[in-house]
């Protein structure tokens, strides 16, 4: 008999753990899994027979089918704790693959997310989205407002396709430096409040985003207004304008206006 020494006898070596034999319930579930997988594959092949046309397609199905079959065989004899751990890992991978697939499917929308954020945070500020293209976000009230510059002074315009001219309110005209008291208000126009009077005036420079127009004719309204209007006299200088997804898109041709600038 071996002397156990001062610390007592060493513990007996642990017996290797063996996975329990598969129960009849697991075998039944595995059989249902195999039959269901085969039936699903047959239905998909019947619905879309063109899905498996090349040898590569069949190889893909055989490889992944064999992989899933081996995985299912392993689950039959695995311990409950190992199964739960495997399920957690599989869920993580499914979430990663799903996130990547979501990003791929909606890559165009995600690419425009920074642009939409810039327009939402800077209401009225035109955002350059191309060499000669601007976008303006719609306000909560349904209008399109854009910040332009008249002779270097910022003016908030409301885009109005029903207005023939580009109209400055008296307040904006004074801020630009116009002596509104000595203008000749000899023009009349039909407005929402009735017949209004205006005076012709020419701006040395009208800029909206990257488009600059020199010697631009405008009208200074005599009566107070809620804001200035960017009318068809400006929109006609563009190559096109359209509204899409609550966004006004302005495009102009190369060389438009007296002094076209590149978008900044």
């Amino acid at each position: 008999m071996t002397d156990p020494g001062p610390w007592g006898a060493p513990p007996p070596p642990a017996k290797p753990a063996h996975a329990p034999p598969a129960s009849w319930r697991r075998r039944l579930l595995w059989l249902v899994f195999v039959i269901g997988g085969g039936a699903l594959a047959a239905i998909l092949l019947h619905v879309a027979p063109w899905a498996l046309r090349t040898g590569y397609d069949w190889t893909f199905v055989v490889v992944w089918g064999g992989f899933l079959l081996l995985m299912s065989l392993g689950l039959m004899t695995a311990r409950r704790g190992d199964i739960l751990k495997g399920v957690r890992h599989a869920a993580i991978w499914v979430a990663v693959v799903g996130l990547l697939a979501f990003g791929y499917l909606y890559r165009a929308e995600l690419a425009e997310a920074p642009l939409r954020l810039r327009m939402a945070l800077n209401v009225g500020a035109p955002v350059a989205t191309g060499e000669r293209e601007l976008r303006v976000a719609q306000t909560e009230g349904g209008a399109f407002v854009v910040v332009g510059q008249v002779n270097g002074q910022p003016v908030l315009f409301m885009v109005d396709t029903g207005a023939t001219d580009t109209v400055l309110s008296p307040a904006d005209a004074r801020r630009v430096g116009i002596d509104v008291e000595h203008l000749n208000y000899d023009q009349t126009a039909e407005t929402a409040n009735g017949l209004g009077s205006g005076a012709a005036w020419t701006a040395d420079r009208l800029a909206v985003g990257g488009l600059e127009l020199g010697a631009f004719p405008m009208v200074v309204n005599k009566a107070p207004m809620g804001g200035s209007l960017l009318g068809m006299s400006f929109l006609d200088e563009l190559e096109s304008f359209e509204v899409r997804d609550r966004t006004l898109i302005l495009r102009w041709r190369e060389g438009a206006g007296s002094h076209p600038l590149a978008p900044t």
Side-chain angles (χ1 to χ4, degrees):
M1 183 175 180
T2 307
D3 184 6
W7 293 281
K15 295 182 179 180
H18 296 284
S23 65
W24 66 270
R25 292 186 179 87
R26 289 196 182 187
R27 293 179 182 179
L28 180 60
L29 288 175
W30 178 81
L31 186 60
V32 171
F33 173 78
V34 172
I35 295 176
L40 180 61
I43 292 174
L44 293 177
L45 186 60
H46 177 73
V47 173
W50 55 84
L52 300 176
R53 294 179 297 180
T54 65
Y56 175 80
D57 297 333
W58 284 103
T59 301
F60 180 84
V61 171
V62 170
V63 169
W64 280 99
F67 174 75
L68 293 176
L69 184 62
L70 290 175
M71 288 289 294
S72 65
L73 287 173
L75 292 176
M76 286 184 63
T77 57
R79 293 179 177 273
R80 185 181 299 273
D82 295 334
I83 293 177
L84 293 178
K85 185 183 297 184
V87 169
R88 286 197 298 269
H89 292 168
I92 292 174
W93 279 108
V94 168
V96 171
V97 172
L99 185 61
L100 293 176
F102 178 84
Y104 178 78
L105 292 175
Y106 293 94
R107 58 192 183 278
E109 289 78 1
L110 292 175
E112 290 190 355
L115 170 64
R116 294 182 180 275
L117 181 61
R118 288 170 58 193
M119 290 191 298
L121 296 178
N122 298 278
V123 177
V127 177
T129 55
E131 186 179 356
R132 291 181 295 275
E133 181 180 286
L134 295 174
R135 297 196 181 194
V136 181
Q138 191 176 36
T139 65
E140 291 299 326
F144 292 101
V145 294
V146 57
V147 177
Q149 287 192 346
V150 178
N151 291 353
Q153 296 297 320
V155 174
L156 183 64
F157 289 99
M158 183 179 72
V159 180
D160 187 0
T161 57
T164 303
D165 301 307
T166 295
V167 182
L168 283 177
S169 68
D172 286 336
R174 291 189 185 93
R175 195 157 42 80
V176 169
I178 303 173
D179 186 1
V180 297
E181 305 300 332
H182 294 86
L183 293 177
N184 183 20
Y185 295 95
D186 59 348
Q187 297 192 11
T188 58
E190 189 69 32
T191 67
N193 298 322
L195 201 63
S197 299
W201 180 77
T202 300
D204 295 332
R205 174 178 176 267
L206 170 65
V208 177
L211 176 62
E212 180 176 326
L213 303 171
F216 188 79
M218 308 179 76
V219 173
V220 177
N221 202 57
K222 185 175 183 180
M225 300 172 59
S228 298
L229 303 178
L230 202 62
M232 291 303 300
S233 61
F234 171 80
L235 297 176
D236 285 341
E237 295 285 343
L238 305 175
E239 182 179 19
S240 66
F241 62 92
E242 62 174 318
V243 176
R244 187 171 67 236
D245 296 333
R246 293 174 54 87
T247 302
L248 175 64
I249 305 174
L250 308 175
R251 301 185 184 93
W252 63 92
R253 64 187 67 87
E254 186 175 3
S258 301
H259 303 288
L261 298 177
T264 55

